[in-house]
């Protein structure tokens, strides 16, 4: 609060408050502070929280930005809409720690685009942004942004905020070519759907690109979503980890077909895939999605559940035919505990994947793949200092 007050004392013309739905009360309190501390400042609300119906009447504001923000702000400030976008240079995190040990802020943020064309029924991001909006349209543009970050911050690792980065395969392949021609290899943590990964064909392309982490929606063992049709997740995840690519797999609990038996079938399925990290999330009807509209029309959304309680890591906020709200919390906790009991600590899984990558790349026949062994060696040396603590605990 004190830092925010000090900032408001500078007398800005605009203050943007970007928030997600569970942070509704925080955004509301910040808006009140702006009105009190700097009454002439205009308040812009942005982020997924703006999907809350009637948000303009719930939080004091002057403007609401829904969806893609650069065009919105340029129009608001009377700037040319077609002016080239210069990607910002900034770290992707701060105050990083592993087991309480501070580690350097050695990665930068990269936003090639927003949105996703898959538009899964439950996906807030896809429907918030509408069609995919690319900021960096070519591999050369992505590479140039990485080079600027390296020159200014000294980083070679990037957290890629793009719902499905590989959906533009020509951009991805050009990024590989740019790195290999210039002999400036970078590493990337990305989001990707399974069907996009399989469409790449040769997974070694991901190694050559420098991908070392993938967040992927597994969702359910049933072929419920187009993005997962026909995908053998066990093989895909095994082959990614064999190449040194850590996998965060995400599964959805309390889907329509889940009952006391089928929900555990899906939990067992996700755990059996043995990803490095496994995220269980309760199904969440978020305003703006077809799922929310369907559930609202069916009368499945109780009106007395506060916005700040509507997130996927506690109780569900809709009426489910097989589970009470109180039951869903324990089912979620038990799923995480089962994963830990059967697969062990995610940190150790990720370390194993790193060693797999070091072995895979250092002995590979393709020199372009062998080029990536140095990144795995560097990461393995960083992680080894935590082995003693991992053994103790």
């Amino acid at each position: 609060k004190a830092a925010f007050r000090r900032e408001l004392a500078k007398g800005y013309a605009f203050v943007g408050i970007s928030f997600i739905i569970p942070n509704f009360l925080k955004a509301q309190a910040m808006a009140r502070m702006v009105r009190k501390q700097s009454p002439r400042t205009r308040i812009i609300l942005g982020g997924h929280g703006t999907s809350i119906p009637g948000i303009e009447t719930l939080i004091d504001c002057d403007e609401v930005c829904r969806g893609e923000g650069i065009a919105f702000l340029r129009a608001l400030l009377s700037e040319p809409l077609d002016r080239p976008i210069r990607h910002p240079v900034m770290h992707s995190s701060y105050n990083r720690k592993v087991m309480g040990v501070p580690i350097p802020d050695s990665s930068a943020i990269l936003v090639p685009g927003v949105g996703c064309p898959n538009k899964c029924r439950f996906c807030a991001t896809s429907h918030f942004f509408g069609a995919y909006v690319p900021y960096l349209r070519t591999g050369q543009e992505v590479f140039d942004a990485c080079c600027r970050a390296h020159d200014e911050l000294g980083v070679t690792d990037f957290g890629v905020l793009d719902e499905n980065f590989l959906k533009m395969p020509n951009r991805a392949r050009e990024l590989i070519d740019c790195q290999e021609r210039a002999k400036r290899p970078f590493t990337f943590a990305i989001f990707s759907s399974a069907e996009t990964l399989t469409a790449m064909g040769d997974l070694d392309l991901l190694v050559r690109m420098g991908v070392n982490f993938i967040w992927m929606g597994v969702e359910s063992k049933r072929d419920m979503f187009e993005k997962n049709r026909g995908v053998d997740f066990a093989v895909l995840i095994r082959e990614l980890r064999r190449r040194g690519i850590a996998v965060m797999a995400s599964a959805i609990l309390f889907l329509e077909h889940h009952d006391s038996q089928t929900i555990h079938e899906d939990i067992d399925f996700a755990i059996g895939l043995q990803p490095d990290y496994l995220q269980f999330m309760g199904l969440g009807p978020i305003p703006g999605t077809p799922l929310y509209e369907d559930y609202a029309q069916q009368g499945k959304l109780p009106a007395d559940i506060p916005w700040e309680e509507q997130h996927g890591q506690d109780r569900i906020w809709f009426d489910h035919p097989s589970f009470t709200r109180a039951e869903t919390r324990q089912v979620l906790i038990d799923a995480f505990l089962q994963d830990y009991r059967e697969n062990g600590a995610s940190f150790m899984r990720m370390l194993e994947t790193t060693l797999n990558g070091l072995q895979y790349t250092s002995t590979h026949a393709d020199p372009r793949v062998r080029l990536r062994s140095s990144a795995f060696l560097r990461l393995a040396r960083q992680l080894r200092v935590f082995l003693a603590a991992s053994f103790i605990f």
Side-chain angles (χ1 to χ4, degrees), residues 42-56:
R42 296 175 66 185
I43 299 173
I44 306 172
L45 299 182
H48 286 285
T50 60
S51 297
I52 294 175
I55 191 65
E56 300 90 336

Side-chain angles (χ1 to χ4, degrees), residues 111-366:
V111 189
V114 293
C116 175
N118 282 353
K119 289 190 176 299
C120 294
R121 177 174 174 237
F122 61 84
C123 181
T125 308
S126 297
H127 296 280
F128 184 76
F129 289 107
Y132 179 71
V133 181
Y135 294 141
L136 304 174
R137 296 177 177 274
T138 67
Q140 184 67 55
E141 290 175 347
V142 176
F143 179 70
D144 291 344
C146 293
C147 290
R148 283 183 52 231
H150 181 224
D151 294 341
E152 296 183 29
L153 299 179
V155 302
T156 58
D157 187 52
F158 294 87
V160 182
L161 291 183
D162 187 306
E163 289 294 300
N164 214 340
F165 177 62
L166 302 177
K167 268 290 188 181
M168 295 179 64
N170 291 336
R171 179 178 63 180
R173 292 173 185 274
E174 186 180 359
L175 174 59
I176 297 172
D177 293 340
C178 289
Q179 293 182 86
E180 292 176 348
R181 281 199 310 269
K183 293 183 170 53
R184 292 187 71 170
F186 301 110
T187 54
F188 304 94
I190 68 171
F191 296 81
S192 180
S193 57
E195 112 281 357
T196 307
L197 290 171
T198 55
M200 292 289 291
D202 184 3
L203 293 179
D204 283 350
L205 289 172
L206 300 177
V207 181
R208 289 169 54 195
M209 190 188 304
V211 175
N212 58 15
F213 175 92
I214 291 177
W215 186 101
M216 176 171 54
V218 171
E219 321 308 8
S220 170
K221 68 182 292 185
R222 295 194 181 187
D223 281 346
M224 300 176 59
F225 306 103
E226 186 64 34
K227 64 179 182 178
N228 292 341
R229 295 268 162 82
V231 174
D232 189 330
F233 277 102
V235 172
L236 178 59
I237 291 175
R238 183 179 68 242
E239 289 303 308
L240 289 170
R241 294 190 67 196
R242 186 167 74 92
R243 289 166 168 79
I245 301 173
V247 177
M248 162 73 91
S250 179
I252 302 176
L253 302 185
F254 315 111
L255 291 161
E256 285 92 340
H257 72 277
H258 279 159
D259 54 28
S260 59
Q261 176 180 340
T262 56
I263 195 168
H264 290 291
E265 291 175 358
D266 269 348
I267 291 171
D268 292 343
F269 169 73
I271 291 173
L273 296 176
Q274 297 184 318
D276 299 80
Y277 309 90
L278 181 52
Q279 171 185 276
F280 292 106
M281 288 285 283
L283 181 67
I286 301 295
T289 63
L291 179 66
Y292 179 88
E293 299 301 327
D294 290 347
Y295 278 22
Q297 291 177 9
Q298 296 170 32
K300 290 184 176 182
L301 302 177
D304 60 346
I305 301 176
W307 293 110
E308 56 271 19
E309 294 184 14
Q310 298 189 23
H311 58 83
Q313 286 300 308
D314 195 14
R315 298 175 295 177
I316 60 173
W317 62 94
F318 60 92
D319 295 329
H320 195 284
S322 299
F323 301 94
T324 66
R325 291 191 66 225
E327 288 173 333
T328 60
R329 171 187 286 166
Q330 195 58 52
V331 172
L332 186 66
I333 292 172
D334 289 346
F336 281 112
L337 290 174
Q338 181 183 339
D339 176 49
Y340 182 77
R341 285 194 302 268
E342 296 188 21
N343 289 328
S346 288
F347 182 84
M348 298 303 294
R349 299 184 232 173
M350 182 266 291
L351 196 151
E352 180 184 27
T353 296
T354 301
L355 295 178
N356 288 343
L358 177 59
Q359 181 177 22
Y360 184 85
T361 55
S362 61
T363 59
H364 203 281
D366 190 335

Side-chain angles (χ1 to χ4, degrees), residues 53-108:
I55 191 65
E56 300 90 336
T57 64
L58 301 174
I59 298 179
D60 193 0
C61 63
D62 301 285
E63 305 285 348
V64 178
C65 171
R66 293 183 175 90
E68 196 276 316
I70 294 179
F72 172 87
L73 285 171
R74 284 180 169 177
L76 180 66
L77 301 174
S78 300
E79 294 184 357
L81 298 181
D82 57 352
R83 185 158 53 92
I85 294 173
R86 181 174 173 82
H87 195 287
V89 174
M90 58 190 297
H91 285 110
S92 61
S93 61
Y94 66 95
N95 195 27
R96 298 174 71 198
K97 294 181 180 180
V98 174
M99 300 185 189
V101 178
I103 57 177
D105 294 327
S106 56
S107 62

